[in-house]
Amino acid sequence: MPSYGDITQVVADPIVRTGALAVIGAVTTRVMLRNRRFHLIGQLALLAVLTILLMSHDIVPYAPEPPGASSFQRFFLGLAKITWWTSAAWALISVVRVFLIFEGRAREGRFLQDLIVGVIYIGAVLSIVTYVFNAPVGTLIATSGIVALILGLALQSTLSDVFSGIALSLDRPYRVGDWLALGDAVEGKVVETNWRATHLLTSANDLVIVPNSDLAKARLTNLSSPEPSHGMTLSVRFRPSTAPSAMVEVMRSVLLSSNSILTLPEPSIHVTALDANAVELEVTSRVADVSAVGTARTEVFDLIYRHAKAAGLVLAQPANGGVTAAASATGAVPAGLRTTQLRLLDVVPLFAHLTEEEKETLASTMTRRTFRKGDVLIEQKNVSQSLMIMRSGVAIVTRRSDDPAGETTELTRLAPGDFFGEGGLLTGAGEFGSITALTAVVVYEITQEGLAPLIRDRPAIADELGALLSKKTAVELSKFDQRHGGAALKSVPHLTARIRHLFNL
């Protein structure tokens, strides 16, 4: 049994102290420092201290053990070397991870990070085997070649995906968040890349998993590069009832009234074909990203219909539609004998519940007003005494904040068929924002005197108008400040009461 003096002598041995200190420092740094920044600093500091301690006692981590060392010394010497190599690996891994975070690609660099971490760990293990256990690594690698060959043949498909993933990670043709279009008509947003495959989320919310080997060979289009904005092209055909230049001006009004497309770069309109049956125009614009294309196309098509109808343009048959005499005759018939006032009332949701007789009565009271480009149709907080329905042109709605800076926010743009002033007309409330004409604007006006007889004859109209007005106000509030979105939906009874009070019901 060793004496107390022997144990003291062993404990006092510098090699034993170095090994024990290395293990304690490594465990302390690994367990106590969880913060990434402090963890990296602690790892680098531990590696530096261990290196100084080992070198000060003539212990070289990457050299064989001294031949005259005792069993205790060899144990603690091996422990110190293992700790040094492990700390070196941890420090390198921490540097790699912090670098990817600072680069802003922690998520998309996951595959590359795993690859580098694996190489670092393999290198550390081989170094420990060589310099601690004195094993011939070269012989081990040579004898394991047959096993590696068998595994390579068995995992040929998987290895193809892995090496394709490595190539894609180094080349970086796409990133997480980009929209990709593949040659087989698959289109989706990159949500994850890993060792085996890339995950795409389609617009239908379906997850498509594409093996990296297939992706590396596929012809893909990155719809989010070199910038997120995405182009959109639409074609429209009108009957040649007016000059093409006039049709181009109508399309400019369409683009000017759109809330979905970008103003820069400026959209373009070109006449692409002209014959006896139609004038064909091509409208090119951009949206913020590819996910907004569907919404923007729907809005622009709706605006084309409204502006074309306001300008008296008639859509033509498709070029390959084979226009027949019957179809031509049918298209030439005007849309009924309804007046402009009645057609406008048909498209305003506030008056959707009126009977035909009530609409005719209200239409007889409507008056036409015109505004020039730059005219202010109504100021913010002013109480409108009439409801105005856009007949033609484009107007912009802006709201100025109440803070001293007075920041102005664009809320929306108005096109033919839109309306404003209903808050003042029905409840006496001030206008939510200022409305300015971006082009020459024609509106039709409905006054309280014209609407009052209908509401007095059928008081239920007040309830319908209160509900519709509440929803429209909620949409305007949500566009200006998301914190108020939907708040007006709770005030339907209050709005109805104000309408009844204003019209003496």
Side-chain angles (χ1 to χ4, degrees):
M1 180 176 181
S3 64
Y4 179 77
D6 294 336
I7 296 176
T8 304
Q9 185 178 3
V10 170
V11 173
D13 191 294
I15 296 178
V16 174
R17 287 184 175 182
T18 302
L21 183 61
V23 173
I24 294 172
V27 172
T28 302
T29 305
R30 195 69 177 176
V31 173
M32 297 183 62
L33 298 178
R34 294 293 184 181
N35 183 279
R36 285 186 182 274
R37 194 185 321 173
F38 295 130
H39 185 73
L40 174 61
I41 295 173
Q43 292 287 358
L44 294 175
L46 174 63
L47 181 61
V49 171
L50 284 175
T51 303
I52 294 172
L53 282 174
L54 293 176
M55 293 301 181
S56 64
H57 292 91
D58 297 327
I59 301 173
V60 182
Y62 44 86
E65 301 173 358
S70 64
S71 58
F72 275 106
Q73 289 177 334
R74 285 198 300 272
F75 173 76
F76 283 100
L77 189 60
L79 201 60
K81 287 185 176 181
I82 291 174
T83 305
W84 188 90
W85 281 108
T86 305
S87 297
W90 286 346
L92 285 175
I93 291 169
S94 297
V95 170
V96 170
R97 287 175 175 166
V98 170
F99 173 76
L100 290 174
I101 291 174
F102 285 160
E103 198 181 25
R105 300 176 181 176
R107 186 179 178 185
E108 65 186 88
R110 178 80 175 273
F111 179 82
L112 186 60
Q113 173 182 306
D114 292 342
L115 180 64
I116 296 174
V117 168
V119 172
I120 292 173
Y121 275 131
I122 291 173
V125 169
L126 292 177
S127 299
I128 290 173
V129 170
T130 301
Y131 299 116
V132 175
F133 299 101
N134 297 323
V137 176
T139 305
L140 292 176
I141 294 176
T143 54
S144 61
I146 299 176
V147 177
L149 179 61
I150 296 173
L151 289 176
L153 293 174
L155 301 175
Q156 184 176 3
S157 177
T158 302
L159 290 175
S160 176
D161 291 335
V162 170
F163 285 107
S164 296
I166 294 174
L168 291 172
S169 296
L170 295 176
D171 191 37
R172 290 184 178 179
Y174 57 84
R175 302 176 181 177
V176 171
D178 287 354
W179 280 82
L180 300 182
L182 306 184
D184 52 358
V186 174
E187 183 177 311
K189 181 179 181 181
V190 180
V191 294
E192 182 183 351
T193 58
N194 54 38
W195 289 87
R196 193 187 71 84
T198 296
H199 296 194
L200 303 179
L201 187 66
T202 67
S203 57
N205 204 34
D206 296 328
L207 187 64
V208 179
I209 300 176
V210 185
N212 289 330
S213 57
D214 293 346
L215 199 59
K217 294 181 290 185
R219 180 177 180 179
L220 61 88
T221 303
N222 191 334
L223 304 178
S224 302
S225 181
E227 57 184 31
S229 63
H230 189 68
M232 181 180 70
T233 301
L234 304 175
S235 295
V236 59
R237 291 166 55 84
F238 294 114
R239 292 190 179 179
S241 57
T242 186
S245 59
M247 298 179 182
V248 170
E249 288 304 315
V250 173
M251 291 300 101
R252 294 192 191 280
S253 297
V254 168
L255 298 175
L256 189 61
S257 59
S258 173
N259 294 294
S260 300
I261 65 174
L262 300 178
T263 56
L264 292 175
E266 185 177 355
S268 62
I269 304 152
H270 302 284
V271 178
T272 57
L274 172 64
D275 55 42
N277 297 319
V279 177
E280 184 173 334
L281 296 94
E282 184 179 80
V283 181
T284 303
S285 59
R286 286 198 184 185
V287 294
D289 57 72
V290 67
S291 62
V293 170
T295 302
R297 288 175 67 90
T298 300
E299 184 201 36
V300 172
F301 276 132
D302 178 73
L303 291 171
I304 289 175
Y305 176 83
R306 289 157 64 180
H307 280 275
K309 194 171 183 180
L313 299 179
V314 181
L315 293 172
Q317 293 284 342
N320 56 354
V323 182
T324 62
S328 178
T330 303
V333 177
L337 301 176
R338 300 179 69 77
T339 62
T340 300
Q341 293 90 326
L342 285 174
R343 291 200 302 271
L344 289 175
L345 290 178
D346 289 338
V347 300
V348 177
L350 287 174
F351 306 117
H353 298 285
L354 296 182
T355 64
E356 191 65 25
E357 184 179 354
E358 289 170 338
K359 287 182 180 180
E360 290 177 355
T361 301
L362 185 59
S364 64
T365 67
M366 295 170 64
T367 56
R368 186 178 187 268
R369 294 183 60 184
T370 59
F371 297 89
R372 294 175 299 180
K373 178 181 179 180
D375 286 351
V376 178
L377 282 64
I378 188 170
E379 289 280 2
Q380 180 178 327
K381 296 184 179 180
N382 285 1
V383 179
S384 175
Q385 300 300 321
S386 59
L387 180 144
M388 297 187 186
I389 307 174
M390 297 276 293
R391 168 66 177 83
S392 62
V394 182
I396 184 174
V397 182
T398 58
R399 180 174 173 84
R400 186 177 60 257
S401 61
D402 296 329
D403 58 5
E407 181 181 357
T408 301
T409 303
E410 178 180 332
L411 299 181
T412 188
R413 297 192 177 190
L414 305 180
D418 291 327
F419 57 94
F420 58 92
E422 70 283 355
L425 173 68
L426 300 175
T427 66
E431 196 65 25
F432 190 73
S434 298
I435 301 176
T436 307
L438 293 180
T439 65
V441 171
V442 177
V443 300
Y444 276 80
E445 185 178 22
I446 299 175
T447 62
Q448 285 187 350
E449 292 76 13
L451 187 60
L454 290 177
I455 296 181
R456 293 194 184 102
D457 291 341
R458 188 157 68 89
I461 295 178
D463 300 330
E464 299 166 356
L465 294 179
L468 292 170
L469 180 59
S470 174
K471 294 179 181 179
K472 186 173 185 290
T473 306
V475 172
E476 292 175 341
L477 284 171
S478 64
K479 288 179 179 178
F480 179 70
D481 189 348
Q482 293 295 335
R483 292 174 299 177
H484 298 110
L489 293 176
K490 301 178 181 179
S491 59
V492 174
H494 177 65
L495 288 175
T496 302
R498 292 183 64 178
I499 294 174
R500 289 179 175 272
H501 174 73
L502 191 64
F503 286 89
N504 299 319
L505 298 181

